[in-house]
Amino acid sequence: MNKEQSGVLKAWEATVRKTHAAKKRANSIFGTITMANATDDDLENNNDKSDNISGEPYLVEKILPNGDYYTGQWYDNFPEGQGKYLWTDGCMYLGEWHRGKTMGKGRFSWPSGATYEGEFKSGYIDGIGIYTGPSGDTYKGQWVMNFKHGHGIRFYPNGDWYDGEWRRGLQEGLGKYQWQNENHYIGEWKNGMICGTGTFVWSNENKYDGQWEDGMPKGNGTYYWSDGSFYVGNWSKDPDEQNGTYYPSESSQAANLEWDPQTVYIELADCKICPSENVSIMPSQKVLAWYSAKTDDNPRRLSIDGRVSVGIERPDKMHMWESDDDSTDLTEVRRDLDSELLCVQVQHQHDDTNPKFNLELPLKVPQLGKRPGETISRGHKNYELMLNLQLGIRHSVGRPAPATSLDLKAAAFDPKEKIWTRFPAEGSKYTPPHQSCEFKWKDYCPVVFRALRKLFKVDPADYMISICGNGALRELSSPGKSGSFFYLTEDDRYMIKTMKKSEVKVFIRMLFAYYNHVRSFENTLVIKYYGLHCVKLTGPIQRKVRFIIMGNLLRSEYTIHRRFDLKGSSLGRITDKPESEIDSTTILKDLDLNFIFKLEKAWFEEFCWDCEFLEQERTMDYSLLVGIHFKEISANGEFVPCGRRSSSGNYENESTPPDMEEHFLDPKRWGTIKLGANMPAKVERTIRKPKSVFHLVGEQTGECYEVIMFFGIIDILQDYDITKRLEHAYKSIQYDPTSISAVDPKQYSKRFRDFIFKVFCEDT
């Protein structure tokens, strides 16, 4: 080993010793390895000539800019094939890679001694694999996106074991649990607890066979003794509700006659279900050096759990036209919060005249709302802005470009990758003459967005016709809470949103991860973005407007009867309209929700949520936008529950085409049905009792409706910046901090995920 290589090795070991977890492992792993330094340029520009000539992966050894280490096959700036990655905190992955992500078979180990060996997909534990915990406990079975999901066997440290079905990391479905004292249960589970129909057998061969709820007998059931006698009755922990009959056998003991059924609950109290292990960080949450490479001018740091944090960023003032000054007026922020808190003071009172609270009241079709938005015609204050936008889009999309490949170079995501075009009123060599004022047009990362449009199967001609055709854009009547303005295309296919400078920075920062995420997960629910642009007026004012083009999630040939914007928080999450004023365009919120959504098993198993991706990118305040179309409506305008068909059989307001069922039976039209769009499903009505007015999920009623559903995750570009931190601190003084929308991204992600799994369930 020469002096230069020896110096590199010592530098590496010094970095590793900074973290106690890897201190003892560093010398043994790397004591005899010869390594070469890897700079930022190494990650972005591959100087190895053999890669360019052969086009095949080649072997490398790299100490990465953040101190991590990688050795293995490398191709096109990313690991490709077999390779080993060691983080400075001691975590290690050894196995297969594809485009810089763990993909295929591999082994991941934690500093605690825990290991996982099995299949990976796009960075997630996904497939068949074995997890061994630091205490020797093991799980062998199926995984979906880091969750135990499917069939699996879990052996616990205390000697207990479970063999059965799992859902989202918890026991759910049919399964057997055996305690170390030989007691065992075989039957149904729900959310990690014994629930449903099942049999519990004691080691002395006595057993209970019947209904369960929350881990205890509840409902009809039979207790059997080993001598053949049994007790049949209705079971409850409340002695007043317990009743039944004892049937002795010929050989039964007289002692059984004095037996109290409540002793069963005492015995079962000692049979605890071992809790799920708490894994500090999953492989998909570990930051890889090539994904955390510098993409903007903001400082970034690794948090203690390994995720990327971004420097605190001053938010833009909430104006559509804005300068580059990002200063924050704290007095203005406080005044805005005071105004919002005053609105929250209006109590969400129980009202028996509202079907949300009264099951006796039927659910009715809301009145048909007016088409949202004001058409931007000549004389409108933003008419010139619309012309500028349409001219710029036509120029960007119609400009000749080489064939777009989905395998993009890292340079395409560089924040400096943008194109300025000047549009003089008289026209130029590259731009047509126009009737608007002179302006400059900016395209952010044009190659990336061209690839995204190709990935999302957007035809360039149709895209230009929708945005730049003869039809004018429509401006929504008022800006949203964020201060952004929204515009809809004439065919409702695309929505255009103005953006703050801080939001643009967040999106550019996460664009690489966003591109890889939507490419890896075909069924992702994250909203689709098609372009990011800026219009700058020339002259002394130099005003700018930045905007993003995205898909309209609720565009459909069916009438959307109910619309919900769901965050999983409760403070202020209710519409301020009375029931009589709610129409088909009203956006309802969490405390307005009076349904639970039931998806068929095939859909539910594909229900991969994107919360972990958003948490890793340190964003928050996103929400799930849900649209519901009810398939059957009575002649008097009421939604008809399943099994109770309308007398006329007619569909009112032409909300449901007569050939609806043929639509879903025709294989040629199956392509329009996918996760989050045109999905046949059921919704179960819930009721909010006086004691549960502020609960996010009401009580189930068993009253179900057949529906078509549309949903997706929107507003994903909000960073947890100083404005949101102030909002959280200010509201926490007066309200429960967990009920506030503005919370840390990690807490927001967990709360959002937990809420979603409460309101979505498998239709059994």
Side-chain angles (χ1 to χ4, degrees):
M1 183 181 295
N2 59 39
K3 292 182 179 180
E4 181 180 356
Q5 292 171 330
S6 177
V8 170
L9 180 56
K10 290 180 180 179
W12 158 252
E13 292 175 343
T15 303
V16 173
R17 280 196 294 271
K18 293 180 181 179
T19 56
H20 63 85
K23 183 176 180 180
K24 294 182 179 180
R25 304 175 58 190
N27 291 329
S28 61
I29 294 175
F30 299 109
T32 59
I33 290 180
T34 302
M35 294 171 287
N37 252 333
T39 65
D40 289 329
D41 292 337
D42 291 326
L43 292 178
E44 299 183 6
N45 301 302
N46 175 22
N47 294 324
D48 195 308
K49 301 296 183 183
S50 63
D51 176 45
N52 297 328
I53 296 174
S54 67
E56 296 293 332
Y58 58 98
L59 294 178
V60 299
E61 291 181 355
K62 293 177 179 285
I63 298 178
L64 302 167
N66 62 355
D68 296 347
Y69 169 81
Y70 173 80
T71 179
Q73 292 177 298
W74 189 271
Y75 176 71
D76 196 18
N77 300 324
F78 295 111
E80 183 74 27
Q82 294 288 336
K84 177 171 70 174
Y85 192 109
L86 181 70
W87 288 265
T88 55
D89 64 359
C91 291
M92 184 175 71
Y93 171 79
L94 176 63
E96 296 177 346
W97 297 79
H98 181 58
R99 294 197 185 104
K101 291 252 185 179
T102 54
M103 180 83 77
K105 294 184 178 180
R107 185 177 190 272
F108 189 94
S109 60
W110 286 263
S112 62
T115 61
Y116 168 81
E117 189 164 359
E119 295 176 332
F120 291 79
K121 182 179 179 181
S122 297
Y124 292 89
I125 294 177
D126 199 306
I128 305 295
I130 302 174
Y131 172 83
T132 303
S135 303
D137 52 313
T138 61
Y139 169 83
K140 180 179 181 179
Q142 296 174 300
W143 300 76
V144 173
M145 289 192 70
N146 295 338
F147 288 109
K148 304 177 185 73
H149 194 94
H151 183 267
I153 304 175
R154 174 84 192 277
F155 293 93
Y156 297 92
N158 64 352
D160 296 355
W161 56 270
Y162 170 83
D163 183 356
E165 297 298 313
W166 298 76
R167 287 289 183 274
R168 304 178 302 279
L170 297 172
Q171 298 97 327
E172 185 156 329
L174 294 177
K176 177 179 180 179
Y177 191 102
Q178 179 156 319
W179 286 263
Q180 58 177 343
N181 60 7
E182 302 300 325
N183 294 347
H184 68 269
Y185 167 82
I186 302 176
E188 296 178 336
W189 296 72
K190 186 174 182 180
N191 290 329
M193 300 189 70
I194 296 174
C195 188
T197 303
T199 302
F200 190 100
V201 181
W202 280 263
S203 56
N204 60 8
E205 298 185 357
N206 293 351
K207 68 177 182 179
Y208 167 82
D209 185 8
Q211 298 295 314
W212 297 76
E213 185 177 291
D214 295 334
M216 292 292 174
K218 181 66 182 293
N220 295 325
T222 305
Y223 186 92
Y224 298 91
W225 280 268
S226 57
D227 60 9
S229 57
F230 58 94
Y231 171 90
V232 181
N234 181 64
W235 292 74
S236 174
K237 292 182 69 174
D238 185 351
D240 295 334
E241 297 179 2
Q242 175 82 40
N243 61 78
T245 305
Y246 171 72
Y247 296 90
S249 66
E250 295 180 358
S251 60
S252 62
Q253 301 177 5
N256 290 346
L257 295 173
E258 304 297 327
W259 177 76
D260 182 2
Q262 292 297 308
T263 59
V264 172
Y265 294 95
I266 298 175
E267 295 173 0
L268 289 174
D270 295 330
C271 296
K272 304 288 187 182
I273 305 296
C274 287
S276 299
E277 78 285 357
N278 183 21
V279 180
S280 59
I281 186 168
M282 301 301 289
S284 62
Q285 297 170 326
K286 294 296 294 178
V287 176
L288 298 169
W290 37 88
Y291 291 139
S292 62
K294 184 178 181 182
T295 59
D296 55 22
D297 296 331
N298 291 332
R300 307 183 74 183
R301 60 182 176 82
L302 290 180
S303 60
I304 57 173
D305 62 0
R307 294 175 177 82
V308 174
S309 300
V310 298
I312 294 178
E313 184 174 47
R314 294 174 296 174
D316 298 276
K317 294 182 178 180
M318 298 178 182
H319 300 304
M320 184 172 66
W321 291 101
E322 60 191 14
S323 67
D324 288 332
D325 181 13
D326 274 355
S327 60
T328 301
D329 186 344
L330 299 185
T331 304
E332 181 180 342
V333 172
R334 178 170 179 175
R335 183 170 61 249
D336 291 342
L337 293 177
D338 282 334
S339 175
E340 182 181 347
L341 292 176
L342 285 174
C343 296
V344 175
Q345 301 298 328
V346 179
Q347 295 298 315
H348 181 31
Q349 300 290 346
H350 187 273
D351 180 9
D352 284 332
T353 65
N354 190 326
K356 184 167 57 177
F357 303 110
N358 190 346
L359 186 58
E360 300 299 322
L361 297 177
L363 297 177
K364 295 187 176 183
V365 178
Q367 57 185 339
L368 194 63
K370 295 181 180 179
R371 192 180 189 193
E374 174 189 0
T375 300
I376 304 176
S377 56
R378 186 180 297 275
H380 191 283
K381 62 179 181 180
N382 289 323
Y383 180 72
E384 286 195 349
L385 172 64
M386 181 189 75
L387 293 181
N388 297 345
L389 187 154
Q390 292 177 327
L391 285 166
I393 293 293
R394 190 179 292 113
H395 173 77
S396 299
V397 179
R399 155 175 84 226
T404 304
S405 170
L406 296 180
D407 295 317
L408 301 180
K409 302 289 185 181
F413 299 88
D414 192 323
K416 298 178 181 178
E417 187 68 17
K418 47 198 171 188
I419 300 175
W420 279 103
T421 304
R422 180 171 165 267
F423 281 76
E426 67 274 13
S428 68
K429 182 179 178 180
Y430 303 104
T431 63
H434 55 87
Q435 299 177 356
S436 181
C437 60
E438 181 176 332
F439 68 96
K440 287 185 177 180
W441 171 264
K442 182 197 288 188
D443 277 326
Y444 294 88
C445 301
V447 175
V448 177
F449 286 102
R450 192 178 290 269
L452 282 171
R453 293 193 292 271
K454 180 179 179 180
L455 181 66
F456 296 144
K457 297 179 174 60
V458 174
D459 181 80
D462 292 340
Y463 184 73
M464 284 195 291
I465 291 173
S466 291
I467 301 176
C468 313
N470 294 329
L473 301 178
R474 302 196 313 278
E475 183 183 79
L476 298 190
S477 57
S478 61
K481 176 184 172 184
S482 65
S484 298
F485 287 74
F486 292 84
Y487 301 90
L488 288 171
T489 57
E490 181 65 21
D491 59 4
D492 289 332
R493 188 180 299 273
Y494 301 103
M495 181 174 286
I496 301 168
K497 175 187 176 184
T498 63
M499 299 181 71
K500 298 179 292 184
K501 184 178 179 181
S502 58
E503 289 179 313
V504 172
K505 288 184 177 180
V506 169
F507 192 31
I508 293 297
R509 185 200 75 207
M510 64 183 287
L511 184 57
F512 187 94
Y514 172 84
Y515 179 83
N516 283 282
H517 183 78
V518 297
R519 188 181 180 189
S520 300
F521 298 99
E522 183 179 355
N523 286 328
T524 179
L525 296 175
V526 171
I527 190 166
K528 295 176 180 176
Y529 292 119
Y530 302 107
L532 181 62
H533 312 282
C534 176
V535 170
K536 180 180 180 181
L537 295 183
T538 58
I541 302 180
Q542 298 283 305
R543 294 182 301 178
K544 291 182 180 180
V545 58
R546 304 169 180 90
F547 54 88
I548 193 166
I549 302 175
M550 52 193 173
N552 182 5
L553 289 173
L554 301 187
R555 180 181 182 269
S556 169
E557 64 184 277
Y558 306 115
T559 298
I560 304 298
H561 297 121
R562 286 284 190 271
R563 301 166 190 259
F564 293 94
D565 182 285
L566 306 174
K567 292 180 181 289
S569 58
S570 59
L571 184 62
R573 299 295 297 162
I574 182 172
T575 184
D576 55 359
K577 289 185 178 181
E579 182 70 14
S580 59
E581 295 181 14
I582 294 176
D583 60 30
S584 60
T585 63
T586 302
I587 303 293
L588 304 173
K589 300 181 182 179
D590 300 65
L591 293 180
D592 300 307
L593 182 64
N594 57 337
F595 298 106
I596 287 178
F597 311 112
K598 296 188 171 185
L599 305 184
E600 293 180 5
K601 185 175 182 179
W603 289 116
F604 195 79
E605 290 178 347
E606 284 194 66
F607 214 172
C608 54
W609 292 102
D610 306 273
C611 302
E612 193 164 323
F613 158 70
L614 297 172
E615 177 187 344
Q616 186 168 332
E617 293 305 312
R618 302 293 292 174
T619 64
M620 42 79 65
D621 217 24
Y622 44 85
S623 55
L624 185 76
L625 183 64
V626 180
I628 308 173
H629 167 82
F630 288 80
K631 292 172 66 174
E632 190 167 359
I633 303 171
S634 68
N636 60 354
E638 296 177 0
F639 299 137
V640 180
C642 300
R644 202 173 78 206
R645 306 191 66 82
S646 62
S647 57
S648 66
N650 293 330
Y651 297 93
E652 297 202 342
N653 301 327
E654 297 182 352
S655 58
T656 306
D659 61 341
M660 167 98 77
E661 297 302 327
E662 285 75 13
H663 174 88
F664 297 111
L665 295 176
D666 183 2
K668 296 180 180 178
R669 305 189 71 180
W670 286 350
T672 64
I673 305 172
K674 58 182 180 180
L675 187 67
N678 289 309
M679 285 186 59
K682 290 182 181 178
V683 295
E684 182 178 354
R685 187 178 178 183
T686 61
I687 288 293
R688 296 182 182 276
K689 299 292 183 63
K691 62 181 180 180
S692 60
V693 164
F694 288 95
H695 290 185
L696 288 174
V697 182
E699 297 181 14
Q700 295 176 244
T701 64
E703 186 176 293
C704 295
Y705 300 80
E706 292 187 355
V707 299
I708 307 297
M709 291 191 64
F710 305 81
F711 50 88
I713 299 176
I714 61 173
D715 295 336
I716 67 170
L717 303 180
Q718 177 59 58
D719 199 8
Y720 193 51
D721 56 20
I722 186 63
T723 305
K724 290 298 179 181
R725 293 172 190 270
L726 284 173
E727 180 181 346
H728 176 80
Y730 194 66
K731 290 182 178 179
S732 297
I733 299 173
Q734 303 182 48
Y735 300 96
D736 178 8
T738 61
S739 70
I740 299 170
S741 176
V743 294
D744 175 84
K746 184 175 182 180
Q747 181 183 346
Y748 192 100
S749 173
K750 182 181 184 305
R751 183 180 65 187
F752 184 80
R753 185 189 296 115
D754 291 343
F755 171 70
I756 293 303
F757 284 140
K758 287 179 181 178
V759 297
F760 281 85
C761 64
E762 182 178 320
D763 184 11
T764 57

